[in-house]
């Protein structure tokens, strides 16, 4: 423990995170978003998300030491990866700001202030990218450095300014983006998945600020003859990797969470319709044919359609008087109005099935009762069928007035 306390680089090396891990997570986020981006390519917000994720992947691919060495060897220029990586980081920062401005204000907001902010971001960060390459061309950096270029050349003319420029541009973008995100998180009425996604994005950008602070402290320490290189070479990289993972998950979560929520809602609705479906199946003598490749949405639609198709001809046998008495009986038994309507509909359907079994064709054909509400509330009726004791209680109570009338007659 004493050795680790005296040498922070050894301690931090225990927490090394390979750059390929955030690259894989970012790629997964891009793959998840890609079908929607292609399908809705005209949506500038989706294009911005795709571009941002692509740039983030590029940052981690090209900032790995092996890729840095390969680019330098391919071009024959020592350290040419430096302005290239810095440019990617700067472009990523600008994309973050543009995305948050568009996302926060909405596509319908084309106010002068929004357009001015977007133009300002594009012009400033484009200028930074140009300045990075100009400074590199003016600098003298002949010794290839794969891991510690920022601190090794911290006092070299023009390279010093280049390193400071990209760090300040990155820190400014992360600070503004983080503030915009956390202000947005506090907005009322946000979807829960979006809120958690924004929280992860905000945490990711806060970690980016720690990355910038670590780099800046190490560089400034070099200016004053001090050696705090471990902040840049051992602390900053894992912080950047963890930040990228949080940002990627922050983009994935609203989409994946809503997708899973919708799937759960569809499966739950399909399951809730099972009692009514089984009842209609026993009435018609057949059910919905099984389709192996049917999606959950298609299975739900087919089940709903089957139930309604069987209910429509069955409606001719529904006793509207029994429906009214059943509703009143359910209210008398203490059920709330919505539950009482579902129980009354269940009683009416069961009675109609029995009536149809005795007399398949009504003696006096008629248009039948209005089944609009019944066909729309098949889910609540199906849930009511799960409580046969409640149905029998309502049915028994609803039959009392009819029996009393028969005795008096």
């Amino acid at each position: 423990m004493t050795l680790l306390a005296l040498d922070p680089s050894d301690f931090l090396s225990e927490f090394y995170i390979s750059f390929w891990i955030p690259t894989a997570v970012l790629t997964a986020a891009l793959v998840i978003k890609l079908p929607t981006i292609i399908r809705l390519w005209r949506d500038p917000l989706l294009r911005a998300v795709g571009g941002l994720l692509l740039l983030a992947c590029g940052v981690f691919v090209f900032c790995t030491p092996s890729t840095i060495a390969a680019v330098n060897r391919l071009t024959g220029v020592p350290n040419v990866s430096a302005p290239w990586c810095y440019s990617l980081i700067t472009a990523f920062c600008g994309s973050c700001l543009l995305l948050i401005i568009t996302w926060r204000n909405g596509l319908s907001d084309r106010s002068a202030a929004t357009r001015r902010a977007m133009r300002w971001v594009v012009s400033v960060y484009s200028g930074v990218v140009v300045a990075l390459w100009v400074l590199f061309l003016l600098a003298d950096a002949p010794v290839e450095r794969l891991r510690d270029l920022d601190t090794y050349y911290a006092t070299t003319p023009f390279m010093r300014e280049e390193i400071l420029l990209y760090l300040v541009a990155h820190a400014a973008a992360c600070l503004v983006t983080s503030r915009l995100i956390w202000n947005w998180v506090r907005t009322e009425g946000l979807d829960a998945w979006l809120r958690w996604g924004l929280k992860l994005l905000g945490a990711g950008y806060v970690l980016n600020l720690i990355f910038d602070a670590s780099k800046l402290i190490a560089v400034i320490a070099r200016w004053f003859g001090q050696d705090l290189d471990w902040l840049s070479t051992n602390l900053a990289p894992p912080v950047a990797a963890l930040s990228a993972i949080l940002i990627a998950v922050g983009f994935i979560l609203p989409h994946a969470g809503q997708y899973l929520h919708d799937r759960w809602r569809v499966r739950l609705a399909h399951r809730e319709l099972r009692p009514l479906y089984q009842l209609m199946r026993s009435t018609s003598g057949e059910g919905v044919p099984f389709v192996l490749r049917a999606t959950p949405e298609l299975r739900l639609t087919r089940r709903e359609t089957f139930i309604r198709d069987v209910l429509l001809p069955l409606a001719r046998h529904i006793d509207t008087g029994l429906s009214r008495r059943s509703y009143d009986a359910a209210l008398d038994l203490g059920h709330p109005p919505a539950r009482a309507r579902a129980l009354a509909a269940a009683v009416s359907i069961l009675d109609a099935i029995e009536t149809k079994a005795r007399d398949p064709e009504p003696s006096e054909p008629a248009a039948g009762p209005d089944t609009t509400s019944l066909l729309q509330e098949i889910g609540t009726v199906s849930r009511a069928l799960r409580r046969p004791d409640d149905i029998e209680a309502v049915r028994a109570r609803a039959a009392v007035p009819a029996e009393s009338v028969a005795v008096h007659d």
Side-chain angles (χ1 to χ4, degrees):
M1 291 297 295
T2 304
L3 291 175
L4 291 178
L6 293 175
D7 191 358
S9 63
D10 288 343
F11 175 76
L12 291 171
S13 64
E14 299 295 325
F15 299 94
Y16 173 76
I17 301 175
S18 171
F19 274 16
W20 295 111
I21 295 176
T23 302
V25 178
L26 289 163
T27 303
L30 181 60
V31 169
I32 290 173
K33 287 283 188 182
L34 194 59
T36 305
I37 294 171
I38 294 174
R39 187 172 66 254
L40 302 174
W41 179 251
R42 293 183 180 275
D43 187 337
L45 183 57
L46 287 173
R47 291 203 304 270
V49 171
L52 185 144
L53 292 174
L54 188 61
L55 281 170
C57 290
V59 167
F60 282 93
V61 169
F62 285 99
C63 288
T64 56
S66 58
T67 309
I68 290 173
V71 172
N72 291 340
R73 185 169 58 253
L74 182 66
T75 59
V77 180
N79 299 312
V80 73
S81 285
W84 174 242
C85 291
Y86 296 162
S87 297
L88 287 174
I89 293 172
T90 303
F92 171 75
C93 294
S95 297
C96 291
L97 285 174
L98 289 175
L99 175 63
I100 295 301
I101 291 171
T102 305
W103 197 0
R104 181 67 179 88
N105 296 336
L107 296 177
S108 60
D109 184 358
R110 304 301 298 172
S111 64
T114 300
R115 292 195 299 270
R116 185 165 56 252
M118 297 180 75
R119 285 197 300 268
W120 183 86
V121 170
V122 171
S123 59
V124 167
Y125 280 85
S126 297
V128 170
V129 170
V130 172
L132 290 171
W133 284 97
V134 171
L135 289 169
F136 179 75
L137 293 174
L138 295 173
D140 183 19
V143 181
E144 183 182 60
R145 309 301 298 185
L146 301 181
R147 297 179 182 274
D148 62 346
L149 183 141
D150 292 343
T151 50
Y152 186 87
Y153 287 109
T155 57
T156 302
F158 299 112
M159 282 300 293
R160 172 185 56 215
E161 287 76 11
E162 176 171 8
I163 294 165
L164 183 63
L165 178 61
Y166 103 83
L167 287 174
V168 170
H170 186 261
C174 291
L175 183 63
V176 173
T177 304
S178 178
R179 181 177 178 181
L180 289 173
I181 289 174
W182 287 112
N183 287 340
W184 192 3
V185 168
R186 292 191 289 269
T187 304
E188 296 293 334
L190 287 182
D191 174 77
W193 294 109
L194 176 58
R195 189 181 300 278
W196 278 106
L198 289 172
K199 287 181 178 180
L200 290 174
L201 285 173
Y205 283 107
V206 169
L207 285 177
N208 263 324
L209 291 174
I210 296 175
F211 166 86
D212 293 321
S214 303
K215 288 280 188 178
L216 281 169
I217 292 173
V219 168
I220 293 173
R222 279 283 187 158
W223 296 352
F224 292 95
Q226 303 297 316
D227 185 356
L228 293 177
D229 290 7
W230 61 270
L231 287 171
S232 177
T233 55
N234 295 92
L235 176 61
V239 168
L242 183 58
S243 168
I245 292 172
L246 289 177
I247 290 173
V249 175
F251 278 115
I252 293 173
L253 190 62
H255 177 87
Q258 190 60 50
Y259 174 84
L260 294 175
H261 175 75
D262 291 343
R263 283 292 179 273
W264 170 252
R265 179 184 55 79
V266 169
R267 291 184 184 278
L268 182 62
H270 187 269
R271 180 176 175 273
E272 286 180 341
L273 287 175
R274 181 176 177 79
L276 185 55
Y277 168 72
Q278 294 288 0
L279 183 61
M280 296 298 98
R281 184 178 180 179
S282 64
T283 301
S284 67
E286 58 182 13
V288 177
F290 176 75
V291 179
L292 182 61
R293 294 182 176 273
T295 62
E297 291 86 357
L298 179 57
R299 287 198 295 268
L300 175 61
T301 301
R302 286 163 63 88
R303 177 165 286 190
E304 290 174 339
T305 303
F306 174 79
I307 291 172
R308 293 188 175 103
D309 287 345
V310 178
L311 276 177
L312 278 174
L314 190 63
R316 296 180 301 166
H317 301 276
I318 289 179
D319 183 348
T320 55
L322 176 62
S323 298
R324 288 191 296 268
R325 294 195 305 273
S326 298
Y327 177 71
D328 294 336
L331 291 176
D332 292 340
L333 290 171
H335 295 287
R339 174 72 173 167
R341 283 193 298 271
L343 288 169
V347 170
S348 300
I349 291 172
L350 290 170
D351 179 76
I353 292 173
E354 294 173 359
T355 302
K356 183 181 179 182
R358 293 192 303 267
D359 183 12
E361 292 297 332
S363 56
E364 296 181 3
D370 184 7
T371 59
T372 303
S373 60
L374 175 62
L375 296 177
Q376 291 176 343
E377 297 175 4
I378 56 177
T380 58
V381 175
S382 186
R383 288 195 295 271
L385 288 171
R386 293 181 180 273
R387 303 294 296 272
D389 293 342
D390 290 345
I391 293 175
E392 288 303 320
V394 170
R395 195 171 188 179
R397 192 178 186 91
V400 171
E403 292 172 358
S404 299
V405 172
V407 170
H408 287 301
D409 289 344

